[in-house]
Amino acid sequence: HGLVPVPVAERHGLIFVRPRPGDPIDLDAFLGAINRELADEPVAPHLLASRSWEVACNWKIGVENAMDTYHLPFLHANGDAAYIDADSAVIEEEEYGSSACTALPEAFLAILPGRDHLPEYDAVHVRMGSLFPNLVAVLFPGNLLVFRYDPISPERMRLTIRAYEYGDAMQAFRDYRIQAIETTNQEDMPILERVQRGLQARDLPPFVYASRLEKRVYHFQRMVKRALDGTKVKLAQLAD
């Protein structure tokens, strides 16, 4: 039949597939801190909404934008991202990604559905995690957003966002989350495309990441370099 077996794993109602043959997927290592908090939800998530856009930028720019938390209260001042306090975020760097966890203010918690089933910490925090190379997961109490950045060409990508909820969320909150997805990305996409155009400028000077504010972006860049170095080694071995 011509089909090739690939590694598949299931965890917390979500299915993970590596689109090439190889070793089994180690989800404990891959999911990291996100794995601990997904385990606190008593039921599997069900799909709330799915959206997809083509954006004129390299996929890595999209991933880095999702890791950059300190732009949220400025660019997304009218959405739920404005509630995220980048200065108070606790950063965790892991083998397959990183995450930032920060407390949610009372103004945002007031619109959330019941959170009595969650541990006290999970019920009042949001975790923004990245899974190398191109997945970003944002876990609110009772709500999970999954972002996937797929390359189309060196200067174009497809962004797919899926929103999941746990249990029976209030309709008002459900509508709010869908609108927040639309609004946030309509604000982000022009910026991503401007960054892509800026990278093509001939006189663009070298720059340095801010070690505190862009810690996760720097970690991602190191992971990209590690992956590229590994590919070069394999190609050299094949050439020999």
Side-chain angles (χ1 to χ4, degrees):
H1 48 66
L3 298 178
V4 177
V6 295
V8 179
E10 184 274 337
R11 184 70 57 86
H12 312 305
L14 301 171
I15 298 174
F16 298 84
V17 180
R18 182 185 296 129
R20 65 180 186 276
D23 296 332
I25 302 172
D26 182 356
L27 286 183
D28 289 329
F30 182 67
L31 294 177
I34 296 175
N35 185 45
R36 300 194 301 267
E37 296 189 16
L38 287 174
D40 291 330
E41 294 288 354
V43 296
H46 58 272
L47 185 64
L48 170 60
S50 180
R51 300 286 187 273
S52 182
W53 302 267
E54 282 196 19
V55 189
C57 74
N58 186 275
W59 67 275
K60 294 187 291 296
I61 294 176
V63 173
E64 290 177 1
N65 175 73
M67 296 179 183
D68 169 24
T69 53
Y70 64 91
H71 81 282
L72 299 179
F74 303 100
L75 184 59
H76 307 306
N78 296 319
D80 59 357
Y83 290 113
I84 297 174
D85 181 6
D87 288 333
S88 68
V90 176
I91 306 297
E92 293 188 47
E93 295 183 357
E94 299 168 325
E95 182 179 1
Y96 294 100
S98 65
S99 66
C101 191
T102 185
L104 291 166
E106 290 298 327
F108 185 81
L109 295 173
I111 68 172
L112 288 174
R115 308 183 308 279
D116 295 341
H117 63 286
L118 293 173
E120 181 178 356
Y121 185 87
D122 293 358
V124 296
H125 284 77
V126 57
R127 182 174 294 279
M128 299 155 284
S130 60
L131 304 172
F132 191 79
N134 64 336
L135 285 180
V136 169
V138 181
L139 184 60
F140 287 92
N143 186 265
L144 171 67
L145 297 177
V146 178
F147 300 70
R148 195 178 77 227
Y149 302 85
D150 293 316
I152 297 175
S153 72
E155 299 178 3
R156 197 165 192 85
M157 71 166 185
R158 176 172 295 279
L159 167 61
T160 301
I161 302 179
R162 290 186 171 90
Y164 299 86
E165 66 178 7
Y166 295 87
D168 297 320
M170 296 180 297
Q171 183 63 45
F173 180 70
R174 185 178 292 127
D175 295 340
Y176 171 82
R177 293 300 300 128
I178 293 175
Q179 183 58 47
I181 294 171
E182 297 282 356
T183 301
T184 300
N185 284 282
Q186 291 304 320
E187 293 168 341
D188 269 334
M189 286 187 285
I191 303 299
L192 300 180
E193 294 181 346
R194 285 173 57 188
V195 171
Q196 178 67 47
R197 293 195 297 271
L199 291 175
Q200 298 170 334
R202 293 183 179 180
D203 298 325
L204 182 69
F207 58 91
V208 178
Y209 288 117
S211 59
R212 181 175 68 87
L213 295 177
E214 299 181 305
K215 188 175 182 180
R216 295 180 62 212
V217 175
Y218 178 55
H219 182 61
F220 172 69
Q221 290 286 357
R222 286 184 294 171
M223 295 179 72
V224 171
K225 182 180 185 303
R226 184 179 66 190
L228 292 175
D229 289 346
T231 300
K232 291 177 183 177
V233 170
K234 290 180 180 179
L235 290 175
Q237 292 172 344
L238 290 174
D240 292 341

